[in-house]
Amino acid sequence: MPILNADLHCHSTVSDGTLTPEALAARAKANGVELWALTDHDEVGGQQRALDAARALALPYLTGTEISVSFCDLTVHIVGLGFDHSNAALLQGLHRTRSGRSERAQEMAEQLRRVGIPGAFEGALKYVSNPELISRAHFARYLVEAGVCKDVQEVFRKYLTDGKPGFVPHRWASLRDAVRWIVEAGGVAVIAHPARYNHGPTQEYALFSEFKAHGGQAVEVLTGSHSSAEAAQYAEMALEFGLAASRGSDFHGPGESHCDLGALPPLDARLRPVWELLSERVH
Ligand code: AMP
Ligand code: MN
Ligand code: MN
Ligand code: MN
């Protein structure tokens, strides 16, 4: 297969992105993306819209989602690609994974109130389109709007992360379930942005090994939040573990994400692109 400008990770208003699925499709096309996937957090409610919009633009499309997983007391994200987005077990699993986000958000707001930031729940809600999907990104936008921080990067340095005000640990899906939902719906599971986890080397080895044992087949080597050194490091990990490689900007919106749709460099030629496993699943 020729080298493709594939972008297989981004978010719409159906989770915590700021553009609709239709606007993302148009932006992907305009930016030269040749294979696209919308990967909203714990949600496939935007898939039909993304698919229809991509089809109207003659933009090849893979279904997608990004599942929140608890592994070794940390949160890990598993991207699913190319599954049947009407699969009942997947829909039910995602629904269960989403539940509890509202209560968590109330607790986050309570913590922020205690450090002198009132009204964060209502403030964050102004940015939410999907009532089941209130995320830390929505709080971050409100904290910028309220003048508490200058941008969302500063928010995540000072708030909402482990040990900082506004962080509420949450029990997400298990690694086994997340991979199984994706695989049994006909898709491929991908470890998202592996350099972003605060795992030690032993836990990381456990993540990669267990992920493979459960049927996971790929890892994101290129993502908006990897430096070129991190991309090189995870290219080696992909080769070592016999995983295919994925590429996705993790775009959340203009002015907020540093990496635009379609803007990543090409994958290392030694890697097997994940889309080679999914040629039958492209719409
Ligand atoms: P949640 O699923 O509610 O825990 O929120 C996770 C989301 O918060 C991620 O998908 C990003 O949209 C955002 N986020 C987390 N950490 C950062 C960061 N360091 N910089 C920017 N956005 C972040
Ligand atoms: Mn997000
Ligand atoms: Mn993520
Ligand atoms: Mn993401």
Side-chain angles (χ1 to χ4, degrees):
M1 209 181 278
I3 292 176
L4 276 185
N5 187 353
D7 194 321
L8 306 179
H9 188 153
C10 67
H11 299 272
S12 76
T13 46
V14 173
S15 64
D16 60 359
T18 63
L19 299 182
T20 61
E22 292 79 10
L24 285 168
R27 191 178 184 97
K29 182 78 180 181
N31 288 1
V33 172
E34 295 164 302
L35 177 64
W36 177 51
L38 170 66
T39 56
D40 280 310
H41 297 284
D42 308 322
E43 176 64 279
V44 291
Q47 290 306 304
Q48 196 59 49
R49 288 171 65 185
L51 221 157
D52 292 343
R55 184 173 292 145
L57 294 162
L59 171 61
Y61 185 75
L62 285 170
T63 54
T65 187
E66 181 178 19
I67 307 182
S68 310
V69 161
S70 295
F71 182 81
C72 289
D73 288 330
L74 290 172
T75 299
V76 166
H77 287 170
I78 300 296
V79 162
L81 296 172
F83 48 80
D84 165 11
H85 64 288
S86 66
N87 180 277
L90 173 69
L91 291 174
Q92 196 182 36
L94 293 179
H95 180 74
R96 200 174 350 119
T97 308
R98 287 194 299 276
S99 75
R101 275 186 178 266
S102 253
E103 292 75 6
R104 168 188 186 240
Q106 298 272 14
E107 285 180 49
M108 287 164 61
E110 174 56 24
Q111 282 194 22
L112 292 170
R113 191 190 61 74
R114 282 194 231 117
V115 297
I117 306 165
F121 184 76
E122 296 71 21
L125 267 188
K126 287 191 294 178
Y127 294 92
V128 172
S129 312
N130 177 352
E132 287 188 5
L133 222 120
I134 180 162
S135 125
R136 286 184 290 157
H138 301 115
F139 278 84
R141 285 174 201 142
Y142 174 67
L143 294 185
V144 173
E145 175 202 314
V148 175
C149 293
K150 70 174 192 323
D151 56 28
V152 302
Q153 281 71 32
E154 185 185 346
V155 174
F156 285 101
R157 281 197 303 275
K158 296 185 175 166
Y159 302 95
L160 311 183
T161 49
D162 201 356
K164 308 283 165 60
F167 179 74
V168 176
H170 195 70
R171 188 103 209 125
W172 303 108
S174 70
L175 182 64
R176 174 198 298 269
D177 283 348
V179 173
R180 199 188 58 207
W181 297 331
I182 296 163
V183 170
E184 292 186 356
V188 166
V190 185
I191 300 175
H193 43 65
R196 295 284 68 78
Y197 309 126
N198 294 321
H199 286 149
T202 309
Q203 286 170 326
E204 183 173 73
Y205 191 87
L207 171 66
F208 275 67
S209 310
E210 287 187 33
F211 172 75
K212 261 208 95 152
H214 295 317
Q217 294 186 89
V219 57
E220 272 180 3
V221 169
L222 294 173
T223 140
S225 69
H226 278 182
S227 65
S228 50
E230 287 166 341
Q233 180 188 342
Y234 287 96
E236 295 307 322
M237 285 282 276
L239 293 169
E240 182 185 337
F241 280 86
L243 293 169
S246 192
R247 176 179 191 268
S249 57
D250 206 357
F251 182 73
H252 281 69
E256 184 170 308
S257 298
H258 295 308
C259 181
D260 206 335
L261 284 164
L264 289 166
L267 279 176
D268 182 324
R270 295 173 302 159
L271 300 170
R272 174 156 210 212
V274 67
W275 50 92
E276 284 191 10
L277 307 176
L278 289 161
S279 52
E280 314 272 279
R281 312 290 306 179
V282 176
H283 290 272

